[in-house]
Amino acid sequence: MTPSPTPSAARPTTPAPRLSYLVFRLERHIRAHLDDALARHGVTTTEYMALSELRTREGVSSAELARIAFVTPQAMNLIILDLERRRLIRRDPHPDGGRVRCARLTAEGRSVLRKCDRSLDDIESVMLTGVDDTTRETLAAGLTVCARALRFGTH
């Protein structure tokens, strides 16, 4: 007869998933839904990020937008040219002169951005079903702190 295992040796506990892994999985799910939703408005996710940033900070250069969107300056320049061609943004000379041009939303850009925002609202509504307001605020604050730490910290 084989002795039965002791409770502590019966089965090792499975470690909880790493927070960075959970954030990555969530980002991939959000991105898939976002890509589909924004495509219906003729906008890519990177274009949406650029338009959203221009809503909060008019006059941003394409180099600054590239850093925010995690793309190369060359890639952002192509995006900016396309948004300008589609009349979603306009670019003006930088007040200090030089070659830098500052991007600004047009009325059409703001209209498209509002439509995209509604699609994102729908995605977030589904994602946050069952999450109370206090937890939402805590989650937003915690994610902000984490993003800042990696943006400005050493790793």
Side-chain angles (χ1 to χ4, degrees), residues 51 58 86-90 104-115:
L51 293 171
E58 282 218 343
R86 291 164 43 203
R87 294 188 170 96
L88 299 179
I89 65 167
R90 73 172 203 272
R104 292 174 178 14
L105 285 175
T106 62
E108 179 63 20
R110 281 189 288 281
S111 175
V112 167
L113 190 53
R114 280 191 297 274
K115 292 173 189 172

Side-chain angles (χ1 to χ4, degrees), residues 61-79:
S61 71
S62 60
E64 290 174 283
L65 289 172
R67 283 189 291 278
I68 292 163
F70 298 101
V71 297
T72 65
Q74 296 83 357
M76 183 54 72
N77 191 50
L78 294 174
I79 291 166

Side-chain angles (χ1 to χ4, degrees), residues 47-69:
E47 290 171 339
Y48 175 73
M49 289 176 70
L51 293 171
S52 294
E53 188 64 24
L54 289 172
R55 172 178 38 207
T56 61
R57 294 179 41 208
E58 282 218 343
V60 177
S61 71
S62 60
E64 290 174 283
L65 289 172
R67 283 189 291 278
I68 292 163

Side-chain angles (χ1 to χ4, degrees), residues 1-7:
M1 186 165 171
T2 311
S4 59
T6 60

Side-chain angles (χ1 to χ4, degrees), residues 3-149:
S4 59
T6 60
S8 61
R11 187 180 295 163
T13 59
T14 304
R18 298 182 66 90
L19 286 176
S20 55
Y21 174 72
L22 294 173
V23 169
F24 174 77
R25 282 185 48 206
L26 177 59
E27 186 274 334
R28 300 308 300 163
H29 286 293
I30 292 170
R31 182 68 188 256
H33 288 283
L34 190 57
D35 287 346
D36 291 342
L38 295 176
R40 290 192 294 270
H41 304 295
V43 176
T44 67
T45 301
T46 306
E47 290 171 339
Y48 175 73
M49 289 176 70
L51 293 171
S52 294
E53 188 64 24
L54 289 172
R55 172 178 38 207
T56 61
R57 294 179 41 208
E58 282 218 343
V60 177
S61 71
S62 60
E64 290 174 283
L65 289 172
R67 283 189 291 278
I68 292 163
F70 298 101
V71 297
T72 65
Q74 296 83 357
M76 183 54 72
N77 191 50
L78 294 174
I79 291 166
I80 292 296
L81 289 172
D82 187 54
L83 292 172
E84 188 176 31
R85 181 189 58 75
R86 291 164 43 203
R87 294 188 170 96
L88 299 179
I89 65 167
R90 73 172 203 272
R91 292 191 300 164
D92 301 319
H94 192 280
D96 295 338
R99 294 177 38 193
V100 176
R101 296 180 69 201
C102 301
R104 292 174 178 14
L105 285 175
T106 62
E108 179 63 20
R110 281 189 288 281
S111 175
V112 167
L113 190 53
R114 280 191 297 274
K115 292 173 189 172
C116 292
D117 286 341
R118 285 193 292 274
S119 292
L120 188 56
D121 289 343
D122 293 343
I123 293 167
E124 287 184 359
S125 176
V126 170
M127 177 182 75
L128 295 169
T129 298
V131 179
D132 63 68
D133 290 342
T134 302
T135 304
R136 288 179 192 206
E137 290 172 14
T138 303
L139 178 61
L143 291 173
T144 300
V145 168
C146 292
R148 283 187 185 139

